[in-house]
């Protein structure tokens, strides 16, 4: 046999050997294991300690989830339950490292990581989960993780680190209005240069003074009612944490919307002028001390004047 043939034969055998080793590893490699032994949805308290930010805590009571820190406000059920559902489904790789001097490489050291703690009961002293969330992995739904008290680092798959870093206002209940459109009997929209009053009687919308709304105008009113059936902001903030200039704008709103609905119930929203990043801050009567942040496009259908009717 020629030297060239032997060289090619050795190369082919080397490739086959490497392939065999790879297939053997795939067959016998450890299966991903769950982060939690049980279901995270049974948790009654969540605490997130984020580097450089106030601690965030949520607790479940008889009335549902509540944001306790950094301010008290009803929490969004969808946001909290979605987070817990993803935690339940997280899967961990085999340990990637057990050396403490490599924790900074994975950002699972205490100065860089987000610490997450779950408690089965809000009154429990010891958490059912206590872990440090490090930097993102190679894919959007992966990150590195270390359990408290252990040096072992794992790659977790099933959610992104960003979901542990959400602003407190994104955990809050962001729905500023949720009216049954059919129960709304009156609307008032008062801007700085215009005002409009509408009432509904026997199924007909009429302007102040008794003029019936046109067919085209009814479509505009329906758009307002549709928006009010679920008007959800981007986040919620405590007024005490906001720039006084923003508060001044809401105190002198560019639009005040009032609605009567149900059995004598009322809704009043004060919509401030456009702020940086094309957002508006909105105050709801009855929720003083807090403002809802809205992307401008979410409020466009509320801008109704007499000329539209």
């Amino acid at each position: 046999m020629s030297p060239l043939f032997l060289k090619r034969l050795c190369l082919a055998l080397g490739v086959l050997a490497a392939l065999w080793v790879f297939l053997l590893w795939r067959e016998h490699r450890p299966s991903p294991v769950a982060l939690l032994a049980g279901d995270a949805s049974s948790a009654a308290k969540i605490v997130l300690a984020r580097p450089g930010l106030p601690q965030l805590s949520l607790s479940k009571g008889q009335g549902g989830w509540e944001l306790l820190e950094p301010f008290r406000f009803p929490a969004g059920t969808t946001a909290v339950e979605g987070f817990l559902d993803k935690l339940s489904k997280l899967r961990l790789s085999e340990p990637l490292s057990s050396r403490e001097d490599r924790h900074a490489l994975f950002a699972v050291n205490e100065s860089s990581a987000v610490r997450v703690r779950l408690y089965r009961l809000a009154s429990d002293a010891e958490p059912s989960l206590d872990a440090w969330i490090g930097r993102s992995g190679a894919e959007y739904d992966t990150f590195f993780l270390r359990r408290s008290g252990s040096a072992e680092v794992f790659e977790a798959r099933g959610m992104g680190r960003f979901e542990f870093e959400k602003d407190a206002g994104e955990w809050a209940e962001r729905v500023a209005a949720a009216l049954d459109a059919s129960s709304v009997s009156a609307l008032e929209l008062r801007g700085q240069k215009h005002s409009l009053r509408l009432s509904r009687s026997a199924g007909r919308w009429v302007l102040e003074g008794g003029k019936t709304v046109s067919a085209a105008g009814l479509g505009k009113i329906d758009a307002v009612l549709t928006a009010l059936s679920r008007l959800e902001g981007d986040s919620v903030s405590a007024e005490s944490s906001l720039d006084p200039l923003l508060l001044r704008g809401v105190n002198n709103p560019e639009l005040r919307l009032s609605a009567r609905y149900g059995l004598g119930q009322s809704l009043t929203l004060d919509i401030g002028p456009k702020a940086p990043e094309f957002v508006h801050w909105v105050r709801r009567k009855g929720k003083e001390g807090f403002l809802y942040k809205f992307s401008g496009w979410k409020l466009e259908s509320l801008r109704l004047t007499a000329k539209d009717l």
Side-chain angles (χ1 to χ4, degrees), residues 69-303:
E69 296 177 288
F71 56 85
R72 297 192 71 134
F73 199 83
T77 301
T78 301
V80 178
E81 291 183 352
F83 175 79
L84 292 175
D85 181 61
K86 289 183 178 180
L87 269 183
S88 295
K89 297 174 181 176
L90 271 183
R91 294 293 181 267
L92 303 183
S93 68
E94 63 273 16
L96 303 178
S97 172
S98 58
R99 289 174 48 177
E100 290 189 16
D101 62 340
R102 290 185 176 175
H103 285 176
L105 177 66
F106 298 100
V108 293
N109 50 322
E110 296 185 9
S111 62
S112 303
V114 177
R115 187 180 187 184
V116 57
R117 283 167 286 174
L118 297 188
Y119 298 82
R120 297 199 183 281
L121 297 175
S123 58
D124 283 353
E126 294 297 323
S128 58
L129 170 68
D130 189 350
W132 297 86
I133 310 303
R135 70 173 75 256
S136 299
E139 299 179 51
Y140 78 98
D141 64 343
T142 62
F143 58 86
F144 300 109
L145 174 147
R146 174 177 66 85
R147 291 187 175 95
S148 287
S150 172
E152 289 187 332
V153 179
F154 304 85
E155 183 182 59
R157 180 178 297 275
M159 61 193 303
R161 174 183 163 118
F162 66 90
E163 298 191 60
F164 297 86
E165 298 178 304
K166 291 191 298 186
D167 182 75
E170 296 180 69
W171 291 93
E173 176 53 77
R174 297 172 288 159
V175 178
L179 308 185
D180 177 359
S182 65
S183 75
V184 177
S185 58
L187 290 170
E188 180 177 356
L189 297 97
R190 185 177 296 276
Q192 295 178 346
K193 295 182 179 180
H194 66 83
S195 64
L196 173 66
R197 289 184 179 178
L198 295 157
S199 60
R200 177 158 57 180
S201 178
R204 292 190 314 122
W205 281 102
V206 295
L207 293 159
E208 186 177 27
K211 180 182 175 182
T212 302
V213 174
S214 67
L218 291 175
K220 300 290 181 67
I221 295 174
D222 284 345
V224 173
L225 297 178
T226 298
L228 293 178
S229 67
R230 186 174 178 83
L231 192 63
E232 184 173 3
D234 304 325
S235 67
V236 175
S237 292
E239 291 191 14
S240 59
S241 68
L242 296 174
D243 188 325
L245 287 177
L246 292 176
L247 300 180
R248 196 176 305 164
V250 180
N251 292 335
N252 184 31
E254 69 172 25
L255 177 65
R256 170 172 289 174
L257 184 150
S258 301
R260 285 204 312 271
Y261 64 98
L263 300 175
Q265 296 168 283
S266 64
L267 166 76
T268 299
L269 300 175
D270 285 342
I271 301 173
K274 186 181 294 183
E277 299 180 3
F278 303 101
V279 300
H280 294 263
W281 293 89
V282 177
R283 179 186 290 126
R284 174 174 175 165
K285 187 175 181 180
K287 294 287 187 182
E288 285 81 5
F290 301 93
L291 297 181
Y292 298 83
K293 184 173 75 171
F294 280 86
S295 298
W297 63 269
K298 293 184 177 181
L299 303 174
E300 283 305 309
S301 59
L302 302 180
R303 302 184 184 283

